[in-house]
Coordinates of all heavy atoms in Angstrom, one line a residue:
G17 N 67.3 171.3 92.6 CA 66.6 170.4 93.5 C 65.6 171.2 94.4 O 64.6 170.6 94.8
T18 N 66.0 172.5 94.7 CA 65.1 173.3 95.5 C 64.7 174.6 94.8 O 63.7 175.1 95.1 CB 65.8 173.7 96.8 OG1 67.0 174.4 96.5 CG2 66.1 172.5 97.7
R19 N 65.4 174.9 93.8 CA 65.1 176.2 93.0 C 64.1 175.9 91.9 O 64.3 175.2 91.0 CB 66.4 176.7 92.4 CG 66.1 177.9 91.5 CD 67.4 178.3 90.7 NE 67.1 179.4 89.9 CZ 67.7 179.6 88.7 NH1 68.6 178.8 88.2 NH2 67.3 180.7 88.0
E20 N 62.9 176.5 92.1 CA 61.9 176.4 91.0 C 61.8 175.0 90.4 O 62.0 174.8 89.2 CB 62.1 177.4 90.0 CG 62.1 178.9 90.5 CD 62.4 179.9 89.4 OE1 63.6 180.2 89.2 OE2 61.4 180.4 88.8
P21 N 61.4 174.0 91.2 CA 61.4 172.6 90.7 C 60.4 172.4 89.5 O 60.6 171.5 88.7 CB 61.1 171.7 91.9 CG 60.6 172.7 92.9 CD 61.1 174.0 92.6
G22 N 59.4 173.3 89.4 CA 58.5 173.2 88.3 C 59.2 173.5 87.0 O 58.7 173.1 85.9
I23 N 60.3 174.3 87.0 CA 61.0 174.6 85.8 C 62.3 173.7 85.7 O 62.5 173.2 84.6 CB 61.4 176.1 85.9 CG1 60.2 177.0 85.8 CG2 62.4 176.4 84.7 CD1 60.5 178.5 86.0
Y24 N 63.0 173.6 86.8 CA 64.3 172.9 86.7 C 64.3 171.5 87.2 O 65.3 170.8 87.1 CB 65.3 173.7 87.6 CG 65.5 175.1 87.0 CD1 65.0 176.2 87.7 CD2 66.1 175.3 85.7 CE1 65.1 177.5 87.2 CE2 66.3 176.6 85.3 CZ 65.7 177.7 85.9 OH 65.9 179.0 85.4
G25 N 63.2 171.0 87.8 CA 63.1 169.6 88.2 C 63.6 169.4 89.6 O 64.0 170.3 90.3
A26 N 63.6 168.1 90.0 CA 64.0 167.8 91.4 C 65.5 167.4 91.5 O 66.0 167.2 92.6 CB 63.1 166.7 91.9
A27 N 66.2 167.1 90.4 CA 67.5 166.7 90.5 C 68.4 167.8 91.0 O 68.3 169.0 90.7 CB 68.0 166.3 89.1
T28 N 69.4 167.4 91.8 CA 70.4 168.3 92.4 C 71.6 168.4 91.4 O 71.7 167.6 90.5 CB 70.8 167.9 93.8 OG1 71.6 166.6 93.6 CG2 69.7 167.6 94.7

Side-chain angles (χ1 to χ4, degrees):
T18 60
R19 175 187 179 215
E20 300 177 273
I23 294 172
Y24 300 107
T28 66

